[in-house]
């Protein structure tokens, strides 16, 4: 008998299984495939970058909150120090945010942290038990906490404030921090009682509250009466909006120059719409990207070339067999590539695998160069146009990126409108934009880019900045002042006209110098953008690095109505049982689930459905009787058990939204869907 089960008396011991390494079905099926190895390696790196970025962002956002908690009890307090953290409505991201906050509080402020969720705290008794159990060292998990109660010979009834005070006297007298991440979900009366109880013990126990509020601070004040709000001292803290979080994640990770996998414009626009109109969740946005990556790489070993290191690409191509080469040849862009080559090279590309591998290597390396320049020049264009009136090309980099990968951006109406607006830029504004572009170029050149064209572009921008800085456009302002002084003494109309004409010629000369320079600068920039911001579809094998299959929408969003219809109309589709298999969609079998039978029968009616006729049809299928019995409906006896089954099926269909009760005819229901 081991130490874990050593006991004087008999007892029951629970052994929880140790966590095993997580191996998914995909790992078991595809671990030997090159495309899967590349996918796992890339996703592991990107996911780690995402977690690090999320951690650093939330840490910076909550630094003031942590300082407030640290200093909350430096002086004597009569009200409970309370931090109201306004998190916004991005509910799916709250779990990760508050898990990070809890970890930071434990590391930097106090090890005594209670994390209370509304789903576990339906009443004051449960709330107090869970809070005290977490403070005195029992598990954070409710199920484990009940096991620990048995292990520590404690009863639920003994978990009270007196026990907490006795325990606290034996500790290092640190703060007791209570985190409630979902304030709106809590029962207001439960929280009111909880606050009053804690307030009565505030002299002996240094409590601090952290409330997570998704809406606005007024929610807190409207939830409590005055005699409760006077017991808490509220300080408000705000998280960054979800859209700021999304932009930083995209620009810092997925739109980075060293990320080989790129979403096409249509797919990125779809994911952005889901984010903005459905959940405001960056976590879900990243999971959508993960799904897109899985779809992309599952095309085959051709996608194993989705790398940014030349040596790695050489190694992958060296291991390619004929089947892998054929997988690359099946890419749609290969046809255009072959047709652009001379006849002799066409034959080699199709038949000679070694020659084909070398051609693929050259084109893939060319795409790598294109990707790097694409990111650099998109950032330069964004620095030039992000603050234009009306923002024709968008205010955020992701908007510009989406447009650039949806169509040829330099041929778009938005691009032309932006450059028309740039023609009205003042000298200072244009100079500041050029400096931003110079900083972006210097940043990427310093990262190790030795490309001559990029360096030449950087040098030319620096030259234009210096020229623009030395161009004097203030002379026209001095001329206007002297013109007003000179015109004041003139009374002759002819002399006045001649003076205005001469002055206008002088003014045009001084302004022409800046205008010509501005036109030269804009023409140069436009030429660079037109050369490098071409659509990726013009490059051979671009599909290896860019995923733009919009059919992914059916998997990401799903067509719920059609799925429910298929499940109810043909249950064999999901249940895979022989008893439900049908050859004709109109067939109804007695062995089908009751809701399926009721659903298929309700499709035969129009807008109004008579419940008695519906029941008779249901009865004919599940409990068929002799023809003589069926001839007279008034004599037909309905089995109460069958009637109960029918009633339950109707209730389920009403819950799903297919029918609703009719106030006009009490013995009828109204059909709501499928042309009812």
């Amino acid at each position: 008998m081991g130490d874990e089960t050593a006991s004087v008396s008999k007892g029951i011991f629970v052994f929880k299984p140790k966590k095993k390494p997580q191996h998914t079905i995909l790992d078991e099926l595809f671990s030997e495939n090159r495309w899967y190895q590349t996918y796992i390696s890339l996703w592991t790196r990107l996911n780690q970058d995402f977690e690090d970025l999320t951690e650093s962002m939330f840490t910076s956002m909550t630094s003031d909150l942590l300082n407030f908690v640290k200093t909350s009890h430096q002086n004597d307090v009569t009200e409970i120090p309370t931090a109201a953290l306004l998190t916004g409505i991005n509910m799916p991201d709250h779990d990760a945010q508050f898990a990070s906050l809890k970890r930071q509080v434990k590391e930097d402020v106090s090890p005594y942290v209670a994390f209370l969720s509304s789903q576990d705290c339906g009443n004051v008794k449960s709330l107090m038990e869970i809070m005290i159990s977490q403070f005195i060292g029992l598990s954070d998990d409710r199920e484990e906490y009940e096991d620990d109660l048995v292990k520590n010979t404690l009863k639920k009834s003994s978990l009270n404030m007196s026990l907490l005070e006795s325990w606290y006297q034996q500790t290092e007298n640190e703060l007791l921090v209570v985190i409630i991440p979902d304030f709106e979900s809590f029962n207001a009366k439960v929280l009111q009682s909880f606050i009053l109880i804690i307030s009565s013990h505030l002299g002996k126990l240094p409590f601090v509250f952290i409330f997570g509020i998704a809406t606005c601070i007024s929610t807190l004040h409207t939830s409590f009466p005055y005699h409760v709000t006077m017991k808490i001292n509220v300080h408000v803290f705000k998280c960054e909006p979800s859209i700021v979080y999304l932009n930083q994640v995209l620009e810092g990770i997925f739109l980075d120059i060293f990320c080989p996998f790129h979403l096409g414009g249509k797919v990125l626009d779809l994911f952005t719409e889901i984010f903005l109109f459905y959940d405001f969740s960056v976590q879900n946005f990243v999971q959508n990207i993960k799904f897109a990556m899985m779809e992309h790489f599952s095309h085959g070993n051709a996608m194993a070339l989705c790398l940014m290191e030349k040596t790695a690409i050489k190694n992958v191509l060296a291991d390619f067999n004929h089947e892998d080469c054929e997988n690359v040849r099946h890419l749609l862009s290969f046809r255009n590539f072959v047709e652009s080559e001379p006849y002799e090279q066409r034959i080699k590309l199709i038949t000679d695998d070694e020659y084909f591998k070398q051609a693929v290597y050259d084109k893939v390396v060319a795409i790598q160069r294109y990707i790097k320049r694409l990111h650099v020049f998109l950032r330069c264009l964004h620095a030039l146009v992000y603050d234009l009136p009306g923002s024709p090309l968008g205010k955020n980099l992701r908007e510009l990126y989406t447009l650039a990968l949806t169509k040829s951006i330099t041929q778009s109406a938005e691009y032309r409108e932006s450059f028309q607006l740039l023609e009205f830029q003042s000298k200072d504004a244009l100079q500041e934009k050029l400096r931003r572009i110079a900083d972006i170029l210097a940043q990427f050149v310093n990262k190790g880019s030795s490309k001559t064209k990029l360096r030449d572009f950087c040098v030319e921008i620096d030259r234009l900045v210096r020229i623009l800085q030395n161009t004097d456009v203030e002379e026209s302002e001095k001329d206007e002042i002297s013109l007003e002084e000179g015109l004041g003494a003139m009374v002759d109309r002819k002399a006045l006209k001649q003076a205005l004409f001469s002055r206008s010629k002088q003014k045009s000369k001084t302004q022409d110098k800046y205008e010509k320079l501005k036109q030269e600068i804009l023409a140069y920039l436009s030429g660079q953008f037109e050369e490098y911001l071409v659509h990726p579809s013009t490059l051979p094998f671009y599909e290896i690095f860019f995923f733009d299959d919009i059919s992914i929408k059916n998997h990401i969003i799903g067509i719920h109505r059609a799925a429910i219809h298929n499940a109810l109309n043909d249950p064999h589709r999901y249940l895979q049982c022989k008893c439900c298999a049908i050859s004709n969609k109109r067939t109804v079998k007695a062995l089908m689930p009751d809701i399926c039978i009721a659903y298929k029968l309700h499709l035969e009616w129009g807008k109004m459905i008579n419940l008695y006729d519906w029941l008779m049809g249901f009865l004919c299928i599940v409990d068929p009787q002799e023809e003589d019995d069926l001839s007279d409906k008034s004599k037909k006896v309905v089995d109460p058990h069958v009637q109960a089954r029918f009633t339950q099926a109707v209730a389920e269909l009403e819950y799903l939204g297919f029918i609703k009760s009719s106030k006009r005819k009490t013995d009828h229901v109204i059909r709501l869907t499928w042309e009812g």
Side-chain angles (χ1 to χ4, degrees):
M1 182 181 295
D3 294 338
E4 295 181 1
T5 57
S7 176
V8 176
S9 60
K10 295 182 180 180
I12 298 175
F13 302 92
V14 178
F15 296 94
K16 296 180 179 178
K18 296 181 179 179
K19 292 184 178 180
K20 299 180 180 179
Q22 294 183 352
H23 296 289
T24 64
I25 298 177
L26 292 177
D27 291 331
E28 298 175 0
L29 294 177
F30 305 116
S31 58
E32 301 299 325
N33 295 65
R34 295 183 186 88
W35 65 265
Y36 187 73
Q37 295 169 3
T38 305
Y39 157 73
I40 286 295
S41 175
L42 178 59
W43 173 249
T44 302
R45 177 172 67 83
L46 294 178
N47 191 50
Q48 185 60 49
D49 291 343
F50 170 68
E51 292 178 356
D52 294 342
L53 179 62
T54 302
E55 184 75 18
S56 62
M57 284 180 59
F58 196 67
T59 299
S60 62
M61 286 189 291
T62 57
S63 58
D64 293 338
L65 187 151
L66 293 176
N67 291 332
F68 165 76
V69 175
K70 287 179 183 179
T71 60
S72 59
H73 281 270
Q74 286 184 349
N75 302 318
D76 293 337
V77 297
T78 57
E79 302 170 343
I80 305 172
T82 303
L85 182 59
L86 302 181
T87 57
I89 58 174
N90 53 329
M91 295 300 292
D93 292 338
H94 285 178
D95 291 342
Q97 290 179 345
F98 280 97
S100 175
L101 177 61
K102 178 182 177 182
R103 183 167 56 254
Q104 292 176 50
V105 172
K106 282 191 172 183
E107 293 175 356
D108 302 335
V109 181
S110 171
Y112 309 129
V113 180
F115 196 84
L116 306 179
S117 176
S118 60
Q119 61 184 1
D120 297 327
C121 305
N123 52 62
V124 179
K125 184 174 181 294
S126 299
L127 188 153
M128 298 298 295
E129 289 174 356
I130 295 174
M131 181 193 72
I132 295 171
S133 68
Q134 292 186 26
F135 278 140
I136 66 179
L138 300 181
S139 174
D140 291 346
D141 191 323
R142 185 182 179 91
E143 294 180 359
E144 294 183 6
Y145 131 71
E146 294 188 358
D147 292 339
D148 289 335
L149 284 176
V150 178
K151 185 189 299 183
N152 291 277
T153 65
L154 291 173
K155 295 181 179 179
K156 288 184 179 181
S157 58
S158 64
L159 295 177
N160 51 40
M161 295 301 292
S162 299
L163 174 65
L164 186 62
E165 288 182 1
S166 301
W167 165 83
Y168 186 73
Q169 292 174 359
Q170 303 173 10
T171 65
E172 299 178 356
N173 296 332
E174 297 192 47
L175 297 175
L176 301 178
V177 183
V178 178
I179 299 177
I180 296 179
D182 50 350
F183 177 84
E184 286 93 343
S185 300
F186 262 86
N187 186 310
K189 292 184 178 179
V190 171
L191 282 181
Q192 291 174 24
S193 302
F194 173 65
I195 291 173
L196 294 175
I197 293 172
I198 298 301
S199 178
S200 64
H201 294 81
L202 191 60
K204 297 181 180 179
L205 299 173
F207 275 96
V208 182
F209 290 163
I210 300 177
F211 292 157
I213 301 177
T215 51
C216 58
I217 191 61
S218 61
T219 303
L220 187 147
H221 297 292
T222 55
S223 299
F224 304 140
Y226 176 73
H227 73 279
V228 175
T229 55
M230 66 183 295
K231 301 293 184 181
I232 56 178
N233 183 13
V234 180
H235 288 249
V236 180
F237 302 89
K238 293 183 179 180
C239 290
E240 290 284 356
S242 299
I243 193 67
V244 175
Y245 183 20
L246 175 67
N247 290 337
Q248 293 188 11
V249 168
L250 283 176
E251 295 176 19
I253 301 175
F254 297 102
L255 301 185
D256 185 70
I257 193 171
F258 298 111
C259 179
F261 174 77
H262 292 75
L263 294 176
K266 295 178 182 178
V267 174
L268 182 57
D269 189 51
L270 168 66
F271 290 171
T272 305
E273 285 185 2
I274 294 173
F275 173 85
L276 294 174
F277 297 109
Y278 283 83
D279 54 19
F280 282 98
S281 171
V282 179
Q283 297 276 351
N284 290 352
F285 190 96
V286 173
Q287 290 303 311
N288 289 342
I289 294 180
K290 181 180 181 181
F291 187 84
M293 287 181 63
M294 294 172 64
E295 285 286 316
H296 176 74
F297 282 93
S298 63
H299 175 80
N301 285 340
M303 301 308 166
L305 297 170
C306 186
L307 301 163
M308 293 303 289
E309 300 83 14
K310 295 181 181 179
T311 304
I313 291 175
K314 282 186 177 180
N315 294 336
V316 171
L317 283 172
D319 293 336
F320 266 22
N321 53 32
H322 177 70
E323 183 179 351
D324 297 332
C325 291
E326 286 297 312
N327 189 241
V328 180
R329 290 185 178 108
H330 287 160
L331 297 175
L332 294 178
S333 61
F334 176 65
R335 177 176 179 176
N336 294 332
F337 172 50
V338 171
E339 292 177 350
S340 65
E341 294 293 306
Y343 180 76
E344 294 77 8
Q345 277 71 25
R346 294 183 189 180
I347 301 300
K348 288 184 179 181
L349 286 172
I350 297 174
T351 60
D352 190 342
D353 287 347
E354 294 303 319
Y355 179 84
F356 177 73
K357 290 180 185 179
Q358 183 59 44
V360 170
Y361 175 78
D362 294 338
K363 297 303 178 182
V364 168
V365 171
I367 296 176
Q368 289 179 339
R369 291 196 296 268
Y370 163 80
I371 289 174
K372 293 177 181 178
R373 290 173 182 170
L374 175 70
H375 284 287
V376 173
F377 282 92
L378 277 179
R379 281 171 167 78
C380 292
L381 180 58
H382 176 250
L384 195 64
V385 303
Y386 78 97
D387 59 349
L388 291 178
S391 303
L393 290 174
K395 293 183 178 180
N396 301 307
L397 180 62
R398 60 174 174 81
E399 297 174 285
L400 185 60
Y401 177 89
T402 301
L403 186 61
L405 294 188
T406 303
K407 55 186 176 182
S408 180
I409 190 170
T410 56
Q411 305 299 321
S412 65
E414 296 89 344
Y415 179 84
R416 291 192 296 271
E417 181 182 353
S418 296
F419 269 81
Q420 288 174 358
L421 293 172
L422 287 171
E423 293 178 359
F424 296 96
Q425 293 282 292
S426 65
K427 173 193 169 184
D428 293 338
L430 184 59
Q431 189 173 336
E432 179 62 27
K433 291 177 183 293
L434 291 178
R435 282 184 182 141
R436 288 201 194 102
I437 293 176
D439 292 340
I440 293 171
L441 292 171
Q443 176 186 1
F444 285 103
V445 169
N446 292 336
K447 281 188 175 181
S449 174
S450 59
K451 303 304 178 185
T452 306
K453 291 185 178 181
L454 192 58
R455 287 188 180 276
D456 290 345
F457 184 46
C458 185
V459 171
E460 182 64 17
I461 292 295
D462 289 335
R463 185 185 73 83
L464 293 174
V465 170
R466 289 193 300 270
I467 294 176
L468 189 60
Q469 189 173 3
N470 296 329
T471 302
D472 189 7
V473 294
E474 296 179 358
E475 293 179 4
S476 59
E477 297 177 0
K478 296 177 182 178
D479 289 342
E480 289 177 3
I481 296 173
S482 61
L483 177 61
E484 292 175 359
E485 294 175 351
L487 294 178
M490 290 187 180
V491 293
D492 187 359
R493 185 172 182 179
K494 185 176 181 180
L496 178 61
K497 183 177 180 180
Q498 187 175 359
L500 287 172
F501 180 72
S502 61
R503 293 289 185 177
S504 65
K505 293 178 73 174
Q506 293 177 7
K507 184 178 179 181
S508 64
K509 288 180 180 179
T510 57
Q511 289 198 341
D512 279 350
K513 187 175 182 181
Y514 169 65
E515 291 296 329
K516 288 180 180 179
L517 178 59
K518 181 166 60 175
Q519 293 297 331
E520 177 188 343
I521 292 172
L522 294 178
Y524 173 74
L525 291 174
S526 182
Q528 294 295 311
F529 294 141
E530 289 175 4
E531 180 179 356
Y532 294 111
L533 293 182
V534 297
H535 197 268
S537 60
T538 60
L539 304 173
F541 309 120
Y542 76 95
E543 299 97 332
I544 295 174
F545 294 87
F546 294 88
F547 177 81
D548 202 22
D549 185 2
I550 197 61
S551 65
I552 195 176
K553 178 179 181 179
N554 296 332
H555 303 287
I556 295 296
I557 297 180
I559 307 174
H560 308 297
R561 183 170 172 176
I564 295 173
H565 169 74
N566 291 331
L568 296 177
N569 196 45
D570 185 9
H572 175 72
R573 185 187 183 99
Y574 292 93
L575 299 179
Q576 296 296 315
C577 59
K578 295 181 180 179
C579 59
C580 294
I582 55 177
S583 57
N584 188 343
K585 291 295 180 68
R586 294 182 176 274
T587 303
V588 185
K589 287 188 174 182
L591 294 177
M592 287 181 173
D594 291 342
I595 188 174
C596 296
I597 298 173
Y599 176 79
K600 292 173 77 71
L601 289 174
H602 109 289
L603 294 177
E604 299 176 2
W605 271 277
K607 186 175 182 62
M608 301 294 291
I609 304 176
N610 186 298
L611 283 171
Y612 183 78
D613 292 340
W614 196 3
L615 172 61
M616 290 298 104
F618 183 84
L619 195 63
C620 289
I621 295 173
V622 300
D623 187 22
Q625 299 181 15
E626 297 295 332
E627 267 186 41
D628 295 338
D629 297 335
L630 294 175
S631 59
D632 188 359
K633 291 184 179 181
S634 61
K635 297 180 180 179
K636 189 171 182 66
V637 179
V638 180
D639 184 356
H641 177 69
V642 176
Q643 186 172 358
R645 288 167 54 188
F646 172 76
T647 303
Q648 182 176 357
V650 171
E652 290 172 348
L653 288 176
E654 184 174 6
Y655 177 76
L656 290 174
F658 290 103
I659 59 173
K660 73 173 183 178
S661 301
S662 173
K663 294 182 179 179
R664 188 158 56 92
K665 295 183 178 181
T666 56
D667 59 343
H668 284 65
V669 293
I670 302 174
R671 184 174 163 193
L672 300 176
T673 57
W674 314 120
E675 300 178 357

